[in-house]
Amino acid sequence: MNPLTATELHGNWGTLLLPITDDDSIDWHLLEQEIDHLLLAGVDGIYSNGSAGEFYTQTEAEFDQVSALLARKCHAQNRPFQIGACHTSAQIARERIRRTKGLQPSAFQVILPDWFPPSWGEIRTFLATMAAEAAPAPLVLYNPPHAKRQFAPIEWHRLIDATPSIIGIKVAGGGEDWYRAMQPVLQRIAGFIPGHHLATGLARGARGSYSNVACLSPRGAQRWYQLCRDDSATALEWQARIQTFWETHIAPLITRDQLCNMAADKAAAVAGGWLPGLTGRLRWPYRSAEPDTIRQIAAAARRELPSDFFNE
Protein backbone atom coordinates (compact mmCIF):
# COMPACT_ATOMS: atom_id res chain seq x y z
CA MET A 1 0.00 0.00 0.00
CA ASN A 2 1.38 3.41 -0.95
CA PRO A 3 1.80 5.84 1.95
CA LEU A 4 -0.87 8.53 2.03
CA THR A 5 -0.10 12.21 1.62
CA ALA A 6 -1.85 15.06 3.41
CA THR A 7 -3.89 15.85 0.29
CA GLU A 8 -4.92 12.21 -0.16
CA LEU A 9 -6.10 11.71 3.41
CA HIS A 10 -9.84 12.42 3.53
CA GLY A 11 -13.29 10.99 4.05
CA ASN A 12 -15.24 8.69 6.32
CA TRP A 13 -12.96 6.17 8.04
CA GLY A 14 -14.30 3.22 9.98
CA THR A 15 -12.74 2.06 13.23
CA LEU A 16 -12.19 -1.53 14.24
CA LEU A 17 -14.22 -2.31 17.34
CA LEU A 18 -12.87 -5.21 19.37
CA PRO A 19 -15.41 -8.08 19.62
CA ILE A 20 -15.04 -9.44 23.17
CA THR A 21 -16.35 -12.82 24.33
CA ASP A 22 -17.67 -13.71 27.78
CA ASP A 23 -14.21 -14.88 28.87
CA ASP A 24 -12.64 -11.53 27.86
CA SER A 25 -10.90 -12.93 24.78
CA ILE A 26 -11.12 -11.55 21.25
CA ASP A 27 -13.57 -13.16 18.84
CA TRP A 28 -11.24 -13.37 15.86
CA HIS A 29 -13.84 -14.78 13.49
CA LEU A 30 -16.20 -11.89 14.23
CA LEU A 31 -13.36 -9.39 13.85
CA GLU A 32 -12.70 -10.77 10.37
CA GLN A 33 -16.40 -10.41 9.50
CA GLU A 34 -16.29 -6.83 10.81
CA ILE A 35 -13.47 -5.90 8.45
CA ASP A 36 -15.32 -7.53 5.54
CA HIS A 37 -18.43 -5.49 6.33
CA LEU A 38 -16.49 -2.22 6.55
CA LEU A 39 -14.94 -2.95 3.17
CA LEU A 40 -18.33 -3.76 1.63
CA ALA A 41 -19.80 -0.59 3.14
CA GLY A 42 -17.34 1.39 1.02
CA VAL A 43 -15.72 3.41 3.80
CA ASP A 44 -12.81 5.52 2.60
CA GLY A 45 -10.44 3.71 4.91
CA ILE A 46 -10.18 1.57 8.05
CA TYR A 47 -8.03 2.11 11.11
CA SER A 48 -7.18 -0.21 13.96
CA ASN A 49 -6.35 0.16 17.62
CA GLY A 50 -7.95 3.48 18.37
CA SER A 51 -9.89 4.04 21.58
CA ALA A 52 -12.84 2.03 20.27
CA GLY A 53 -10.41 -0.77 19.42
CA GLU A 54 -9.40 -0.91 23.10
CA PHE A 55 -5.71 -0.75 22.20
CA TYR A 56 -4.79 -0.24 25.85
CA THR A 57 -6.08 -3.75 26.73
CA GLN A 58 -4.30 -5.70 24.02
CA THR A 59 -1.29 -7.91 24.55
CA GLU A 60 1.49 -7.44 22.04
CA ALA A 61 0.60 -10.74 20.37
CA GLU A 62 -3.02 -9.59 20.03
CA PHE A 63 -1.92 -6.24 18.63
CA ASP A 64 0.20 -7.99 16.02
CA GLN A 65 -2.65 -10.32 15.05
CA VAL A 66 -5.19 -7.48 14.73
CA SER A 67 -2.74 -5.48 12.60
CA ALA A 68 -1.87 -8.42 10.33
CA LEU A 69 -5.53 -9.29 9.77
CA LEU A 70 -6.43 -5.73 8.84
CA ALA A 71 -3.43 -5.43 6.52
CA ARG A 72 -4.20 -8.67 4.71
CA LYS A 73 -7.83 -7.72 4.12
CA CYS A 74 -7.13 -4.16 3.00
CA HIS A 75 -4.24 -5.05 0.72
CA ALA A 76 -6.48 -7.59 -1.01
CA GLN A 77 -9.06 -4.85 -1.70
CA ASN A 78 -6.52 -2.05 -2.28
CA ARG A 79 -8.19 -0.05 0.49
CA PRO A 80 -6.24 2.47 2.61
CA PHE A 81 -5.71 1.49 6.23
CA GLN A 82 -3.99 2.90 9.26
CA ILE A 83 -2.47 0.98 12.13
CA GLY A 84 -2.99 2.61 15.50
CA ALA A 85 0.43 2.22 17.11
CA CYS A 86 -0.94 3.82 20.25
CA HIS A 87 0.15 3.25 23.80
CA THR A 88 0.69 5.37 26.89
CA SER A 89 4.23 3.94 26.94
CA ALA A 90 6.48 5.50 24.31
CA GLN A 91 8.65 2.39 24.29
CA ILE A 92 5.76 0.04 23.56
CA ALA A 93 4.36 2.39 20.90
CA ARG A 94 7.76 2.51 19.19
CA GLU A 95 8.05 -1.27 19.22
CA ARG A 96 4.55 -1.59 17.76
CA ILE A 97 5.64 0.48 14.78
CA ARG A 98 8.87 -1.48 14.39
CA ARG A 99 7.02 -4.80 14.31
CA THR A 100 4.22 -3.75 11.93
CA LYS A 101 5.83 -1.35 9.46
CA GLY A 102 6.42 -4.33 7.17
CA LEU A 103 2.63 -4.57 6.79
CA GLN A 104 2.87 -1.35 4.74
CA PRO A 105 0.01 0.65 6.23
CA SER A 106 -1.09 3.88 4.58
CA ALA A 107 -0.20 5.68 7.84
CA PHE A 108 0.40 5.07 11.51
CA GLN A 109 -1.86 6.68 14.08
CA VAL A 110 -0.10 7.66 17.32
CA ILE A 111 -0.84 9.38 20.62
CA LEU A 112 1.52 11.25 22.90
CA PRO A 113 2.98 9.51 25.95
CA ASP A 114 0.26 9.95 28.53
CA TRP A 115 1.39 8.97 32.01
CA PHE A 116 2.74 12.47 32.61
CA PRO A 117 2.19 15.53 30.34
CA PRO A 118 5.27 15.74 28.08
CA SER A 119 7.10 19.03 27.63
CA TRP A 120 7.41 20.66 24.22
CA GLY A 121 10.93 19.32 23.78
CA GLU A 122 9.84 15.82 24.79
CA ILE A 123 6.96 15.94 22.33
CA ARG A 124 9.29 16.91 19.49
CA THR A 125 11.75 14.16 20.41
CA PHE A 126 8.99 11.56 20.66
CA LEU A 127 7.41 12.45 17.32
CA ALA A 128 10.76 12.69 15.52
CA THR A 129 11.62 9.17 16.69
CA MET A 130 8.21 7.77 15.77
CA ALA A 131 8.40 9.41 12.34
CA ALA A 132 11.81 7.90 11.67
CA GLU A 133 10.62 4.45 12.77
CA ALA A 134 7.46 4.65 10.65
CA ALA A 135 9.05 5.92 7.43
CA PRO A 136 8.05 5.76 4.66
CA ALA A 137 4.57 5.60 6.24
CA PRO A 138 3.44 9.00 7.58
CA LEU A 139 1.94 9.79 10.98
CA VAL A 140 -1.53 10.86 12.10
CA LEU A 141 -1.58 12.35 15.59
CA TYR A 142 -4.59 11.49 17.73
CA ASN A 143 -5.14 14.16 20.40
CA PRO A 144 -8.37 13.21 22.23
CA PRO A 145 -10.10 15.56 24.69
CA HIS A 146 -8.91 13.45 27.64
CA ALA A 147 -5.22 13.63 26.62
CA LYS A 148 -3.06 15.30 29.25
CA ARG A 149 -1.55 17.66 26.68
CA GLN A 150 -3.90 19.65 24.44
CA PHE A 151 -2.63 21.83 21.62
CA ALA A 152 -3.68 25.38 20.81
CA PRO A 153 -3.88 26.26 17.08
CA ILE A 154 -0.49 28.03 17.13
CA GLU A 155 1.07 24.94 18.71
CA TRP A 156 -0.29 22.71 15.95
CA HIS A 157 1.48 24.95 13.45
CA ARG A 158 4.78 24.56 15.32
CA LEU A 159 4.24 20.84 15.64
CA ILE A 160 3.85 20.12 11.94
CA ASP A 161 6.80 22.41 11.20
CA ALA A 162 8.87 20.22 13.51
CA THR A 163 7.48 16.91 12.19
CA PRO A 164 6.80 17.13 8.44
CA SER A 165 5.69 13.50 8.25
CA ILE A 166 2.49 14.33 10.18
CA ILE A 167 -0.19 14.34 7.48
CA GLY A 168 -3.27 14.48 9.70
CA ILE A 169 -4.68 15.05 13.14
CA LYS A 170 -7.65 13.55 14.94
CA VAL A 171 -9.16 16.15 17.27
CA ALA A 172 -12.43 17.16 18.92
CA GLY A 173 -12.77 20.24 16.70
CA GLY A 174 -14.55 23.37 17.86
CA GLY A 175 -16.67 26.33 16.84
CA GLU A 176 -16.14 29.00 14.22
CA ASP A 177 -13.37 30.68 16.20
CA TRP A 178 -11.43 27.42 16.45
CA TYR A 179 -11.72 26.74 12.73
CA ARG A 180 -10.67 30.29 11.94
CA ALA A 181 -7.56 29.96 14.08
CA MET A 182 -6.81 26.52 12.63
CA GLN A 183 -7.00 27.53 8.96
CA PRO A 184 -3.20 27.76 8.48
CA VAL A 185 -2.92 24.23 9.88
CA LEU A 186 -5.86 22.75 7.98
CA GLN A 187 -4.44 24.10 4.74
CA ARG A 188 -1.33 21.97 5.30
CA ILE A 189 -2.60 18.75 6.84
CA ALA A 190 -5.86 16.80 7.08
CA GLY A 191 -7.99 17.63 10.11
CA PHE A 192 -10.36 14.87 11.24
CA ILE A 193 -13.24 15.61 13.61
CA PRO A 194 -16.05 13.65 15.33
CA GLY A 195 -18.50 12.13 12.90
CA HIS A 196 -21.63 13.86 14.17
CA HIS A 197 -20.11 17.27 13.25
CA LEU A 198 -19.10 16.20 9.74
CA ALA A 199 -21.19 18.53 7.55
CA THR A 200 -20.25 21.78 9.28
CA GLY A 201 -16.70 20.57 9.85
CA LEU A 202 -16.09 19.86 6.18
CA ALA A 203 -17.54 23.26 5.26
CA ARG A 204 -15.07 24.93 7.65
CA GLY A 205 -11.96 23.14 6.46
CA ALA A 206 -11.89 19.68 8.05
CA ARG A 207 -11.10 16.79 5.73
CA GLY A 208 -13.11 13.97 7.26
CA SER A 209 -13.84 11.87 10.32
CA TYR A 210 -12.56 8.79 12.10
CA SER A 211 -16.20 8.32 12.58
CA ASN A 212 -18.26 7.58 15.66
CA VAL A 213 -21.27 7.74 13.33
CA ALA A 214 -19.72 4.90 11.29
CA CYS A 215 -19.89 2.82 14.48
CA LEU A 216 -23.68 3.11 14.24
CA SER A 217 -23.76 2.38 10.51
CA PRO A 218 -20.67 2.30 8.28
CA ARG A 219 -22.79 2.45 5.15
CA GLY A 220 -25.00 5.23 6.51
CA ALA A 221 -21.98 7.30 7.53
CA GLN A 222 -20.47 6.82 4.08
CA ARG A 223 -23.72 7.87 2.45
CA TRP A 224 -23.76 11.00 4.62
CA TYR A 225 -20.17 11.87 3.73
CA GLN A 226 -21.09 11.68 0.06
CA LEU A 227 -24.07 13.96 0.70
CA CYS A 228 -21.70 16.45 2.32
CA ARG A 229 -19.75 16.49 -0.92
CA ASP A 230 -22.72 16.54 -3.31
CA ASP A 231 -25.70 18.11 -1.51
CA SER A 232 -24.71 20.34 1.39
CA ALA A 233 -28.28 21.41 2.21
CA THR A 234 -29.49 17.83 2.65
CA ALA A 235 -26.28 16.97 4.50
CA LEU A 236 -26.97 19.72 7.03
CA GLU A 237 -30.51 18.41 7.50
CA TRP A 238 -29.05 14.97 8.22
CA GLN A 239 -26.56 16.49 10.63
CA ALA A 240 -29.28 18.20 12.65
CA ARG A 241 -31.08 14.90 13.12
CA ILE A 242 -27.88 12.94 13.79
CA GLN A 243 -26.72 15.46 16.39
CA THR A 244 -30.09 15.48 18.15
CA PHE A 245 -30.05 11.68 18.25
CA TRP A 246 -26.46 11.65 19.52
CA GLU A 247 -27.08 14.17 22.28
CA THR A 248 -30.32 12.50 23.33
CA HIS A 249 -29.34 8.83 23.23
CA ILE A 250 -25.56 8.33 22.94
CA ALA A 251 -24.02 11.15 24.97
CA PRO A 252 -26.03 10.24 28.11
CA LEU A 253 -24.18 6.92 28.24
CA ILE A 254 -21.15 9.03 29.17
CA THR A 255 -22.73 11.92 31.09
CA ARG A 256 -25.57 10.10 32.85
CA ASP A 257 -24.33 6.51 33.11
CA GLN A 258 -20.66 7.43 33.61
CA LEU A 259 -19.47 5.00 30.92
CA CYS A 260 -16.34 5.58 28.86
CA ASN A 261 -16.35 6.73 25.24
CA MET A 262 -15.53 3.22 24.06
CA ALA A 263 -18.71 1.89 25.67
CA ALA A 264 -20.74 4.51 23.79
CA ASP A 265 -19.12 3.61 20.44
CA LYS A 266 -19.70 -0.09 20.93
CA ALA A 267 -23.29 0.45 22.11
CA ALA A 268 -23.92 2.46 18.92
CA ALA A 269 -22.51 -0.37 16.80
CA VAL A 270 -24.69 -2.99 18.46
CA ALA A 271 -27.72 -0.70 18.12
CA GLY A 272 -26.94 -0.29 14.43
CA GLY A 273 -27.27 -4.04 13.96
CA TRP A 274 -24.77 -4.27 11.09
CA LEU A 275 -22.53 -6.88 12.74
CA PRO A 276 -24.62 -9.77 14.08
CA GLY A 277 -22.97 -11.32 17.12
CA LEU A 278 -21.31 -8.13 18.37
CA THR A 279 -22.16 -7.24 21.95
CA GLY A 280 -21.56 -4.07 23.93
CA ARG A 281 -19.04 -5.84 26.15
CA LEU A 282 -15.77 -4.04 26.90
CA ARG A 283 -12.69 -5.69 28.31
CA TRP A 284 -12.25 -5.67 32.08
CA PRO A 285 -12.33 -3.46 34.07
CA TYR A 286 -14.49 -1.06 32.03
CA ARG A 287 -18.28 -1.18 32.24
CA SER A 288 -20.53 -1.59 29.23
CA ALA A 289 -23.97 -0.30 28.28
CA GLU A 290 -26.86 -2.47 29.42
CA PRO A 291 -28.59 -4.58 26.73
CA ASP A 292 -31.97 -2.92 27.45
CA THR A 293 -30.38 0.50 26.94
CA ILE A 294 -28.88 -0.59 23.63
CA ARG A 295 -32.26 -1.87 22.46
CA GLN A 296 -33.79 1.52 23.27
CA ILE A 297 -31.02 3.25 21.30
CA ALA A 298 -31.66 0.95 18.35
CA ALA A 299 -35.37 1.75 18.32
CA ALA A 300 -34.68 5.47 18.59
CA ALA A 301 -32.17 5.40 15.75
CA ARG A 302 -34.66 3.91 13.33
CA ARG A 303 -37.37 6.24 14.51
CA GLU A 304 -35.41 9.49 14.50
CA LEU A 305 -32.68 9.30 11.86
CA PRO A 306 -33.22 9.80 8.10
CA SER A 307 -34.75 6.69 6.52
CA ASP A 308 -31.91 6.45 3.98
CA PHE A 309 -29.34 6.21 6.76
CA PHE A 310 -30.04 2.52 7.37
CA ASN A 311 -31.00 1.53 3.82
CA GLU A 312 -28.70 -1.21 2.62
Side-chain angles (χ1 to χ4, degrees):
M1 189 72 63
N2 293 327
L4 286 170
T5 66
T7 55
E8 293 168 338
L9 178 57
H10 67 273
N12 169 60
W13 283 60
T15 183
L16 283 192
L17 298 140
L18 208 60
I20 301 300
T21 66
D22 289 344
D23 66 1
D24 231 26
S25 62
I26 299 172
D27 186 333
W28 295 104
H29 178 66
L30 192 56
L31 183 63
E32 187 168 356
Q33 291 182 327
E34 179 183 352
I35 297 171
D36 289 340
H37 186 95
L38 289 170
L39 291 169
L40 285 171
V43 296
D44 292 295
I46 305 173
Y47 69 102
S48 65
N49 303 314
S51 294
E54 299 177 73
F55 70 85
Y56 48 86
T57 72
Q58 293 177 31
T59 67
E60 296 312 285
E62 289 171 337
F63 171 85
D64 291 350
Q65 190 170 345
V66 169
S67 301
L69 177 60
L70 177 63
R72 176 170 61 83
K73 292 280 189 178
C74 289
H75 280 303
Q77 297 292 323
N78 197 32
R79 192 72 54 87
F81 70 100
Q82 295 177 32
I83 292 175
C86 300
H87 205 282
T88 54
S89 163
Q91 287 73 24
I92 293 176
R94 181 178 60 192
E95 289 302 318
R96 287 184 168 187
I97 286 182
R98 286 175 174 173
R99 292 199 313 273
T100 57
K101 67 181 296 181
L103 298 175
Q104 298 180 302
S106 308
F108 280 102
Q109 197 173 113
V110 299
I111 60 171
L112 297 178
D114 204 49
W115 176 248
F116 190 84
S119 68
W120 183 253
E122 290 162 344
I123 290 169
R124 292 184 62 173
T125 298
F126 169 75
L127 290 174
T129 298
M130 298 296 271
E133 295 286 0
L139 299 181
V140 173
L141 182 57
Y142 176 25
N143 190 227
H146 55 269
K148 292 185 176 66
R149 179 64 187 264
Q150 297 289 320
F151 294 111
I154 188 64
E155 291 179 307
W156 280 116
H157 217 324
R158 292 173 60 197
L159 197 64
I160 60 177
D161 279 342
T163 315
S165 66
I166 294 177
I167 62 166
I169 56 176
K170 179 185 178 184
V171 293
E176 290 186 17
D177 290 343
W178 183 85
Y179 277 101
R180 190 177 302 112
M182 284 290 288
Q183 281 309 304
V185 176
L186 298 178
Q187 289 170 7
R188 298 175 61 188
I189 63 173
F192 275 59
I193 55 167
H196 58 298
H197 298 300
L198 185 63
T200 50
L202 290 175
R204 292 169 175 170
R207 199 79 60 76
S209 176
Y210 298 114
S211 181
N212 53 349
V213 177
C215 291
L216 180 65
S217 171
R219 197 179 298 274
Q222 192 65 30
R223 187 174 291 121
W224 183 34
Y225 173 73
Q226 199 57 49
L227 273 177
C228 292
R229 301 262 61 100
D230 299 339
D231 184 352
S232 60
T234 303
L236 286 169
E237 292 175 5
W238 276 44
Q239 177 171 282
R241 295 175 69 174
I242 289 170
Q243 287 183 341
T244 298
F245 166 80
W246 222 262
E247 293 304 318
T248 304
H249 303 287
I250 303 297
L253 296 175
I254 300 169
T255 58
R256 178 195 65 209
D257 300 342
Q258 299 295 294
L259 299 177
C260 60
N261 291 355
M262 298 77 75
D265 288 339
K266 193 168 281 187
V270 177
W274 54 271
L275 185 61
L278 181 68
T279 73
R281 184 185 178 96
L282 297 181
R283 265 186 162 169
W284 173 85
Y286 290 98
R287 294 185 302 120
S288 310
E290 294 294 331
D292 283 347
T293 301
I294 295 176
R295 282 191 285 270
Q296 292 169 13
I297 293 171
R302 284 156 182 80
R303 183 175 65 246
E304 298 173 16
L305 293 179
S307 57
D308 286 348
F309 187 79
F310 288 107
N311 284 351
E312 294 296 323

